[in-house]
Amino acid sequence: MLLFVGAVLLSSTRSLAAQSATLTIGSAADAFPAGPFGQGTDASIAMGQTFVRPADAACALTCYLQGFSFWLGNSQDLAQNPESLQFRAYLAVWAGDRIAATAPLFASEVFSGPSGASQRYDFAASNLMIETGLQYVAFLSTVGFALPGDPTTSDFDIVFGDPADFPAGGWVYTNRGSVLDDLSSTPWDLAGDIPELQARFEARFTTAPVSHDVPEPAAALLLASGLLALVLAAKRRA
C-alpha cells in the first residue's frame, strides 16, 4: 500500500512561485476575418503578430513566454476547404520586415482546421526567455506542407483600433515563400505598415520559469514518511 502511495506522490506537479502577465489584443466583439491564410493563389503562407516584452511588473526583471493564441475561421467569403489546412505556429525574433535569419525560437506540432468561425488555437511555448530591446513575432505558417491541387485556406481574425494602444506591435503577413528560410530572406508583404490593424492575439508570460514533475513540499514529506515506514518494516522482518 505504501509503495502505491509513493508512486502517486511522485507524479504530483507544481510550478515555481511566479507572477504572470497576459498580453491580450482584441476580443470576439471587435474581431473580423482577414485572409485568406493557407495555400493557394493569393493566399498568405504566414500571418502573425509582432510584440515586445510587456511593460508589466511581472516582467520587470525576467520574462518567460509560456504560450500564445490565435483565432482562425471558415467563413464563406474567404475560407476554402479549411478542414484540409495544415500549419504550425512559430516564434521568432522580428527584424523589421521579416523574421531574423536564425532558427525560430519555437515551432509547434502540426495543427489542422478550423472547423468553425473564430476557432481558438493555443500553443504551449514553455519558458522562452523574452529579452528587453528585441521585437518578436508569433505567427502561423503553412510552409513545408505539400501544396494541394485546390486552394486550402482559412480566415485569420484581426482587429482594428487606435494604434496608440499597440505601440510595439502589429499584424504582419506574407504571400511569398515555400520553405521556412524564405521567411527570413524575403521581406513580408505587410510588415506592420497599417498600425491600426492587429491580429487577435493573446500571449502569456511569467516572471520565472515554470517547472514540472516536482513533488509538492507536503507530498515530498509524506513520501519520505512512507519510505521510512517501509525501511522500518523491512528491518523488523529481518
Side-chain angles (χ1 to χ4, degrees), residues 88-190:
R88 295 182 190 269
Y90 297 88
L91 180 81
V93 175
W94 184 245
D97 63 354
R98 69 195 78 184
I99 66 173
T102 56
L105 304 174
F106 165 80
S108 75
E109 61 183 303
V110 178
F111 283 77
S112 61
S115 58
S118 294
Q119 181 174 326
R120 176 173 175 148
Y121 287 85
D122 295 319
F123 310 99
S126 299
N127 297 331
L128 294 178
M129 172 72 83
I130 301 300
E131 303 284 355
T132 301
L134 290 179
Q135 191 171 28
Y136 296 86
V137 60
F139 63 98
L140 308 183
S141 181
T142 61
V143 295
F145 296 102
L147 190 66
D150 296 324
T152 302
T153 65
S154 77
D155 304 339
F156 189 98
D157 277 13
I158 65 172
V159 298
F160 185 88
D162 185 346
D165 294 336
F166 315 106
W171 175 50
V172 294
Y173 70 81
T174 181
N175 296 355
R176 293 175 287 178
S178 58
V179 296
L180 194 59
D181 286 347
D182 293 336
L183 303 184
S184 62
S185 62
T186 305
W188 290 32
D189 299 279
L190 178 69

Side-chain angles (χ1 to χ4, degrees), residues 42 85 167:
D42 297 327
L85 183 66

Side-chain angles (χ1 to χ4, degrees), residues 47-73:
M47 283 191 178
Q49 175 73 19
T50 59
F51 66 94
V52 297
R53 180 166 157 166
D56 189 280
C59 284
L61 297 178
T62 56
C63 192
Y64 296 87
L65 179 68
Q66 300 299 337
F68 56 92
S69 303
F70 286 109
W71 282 257
L72 299 180

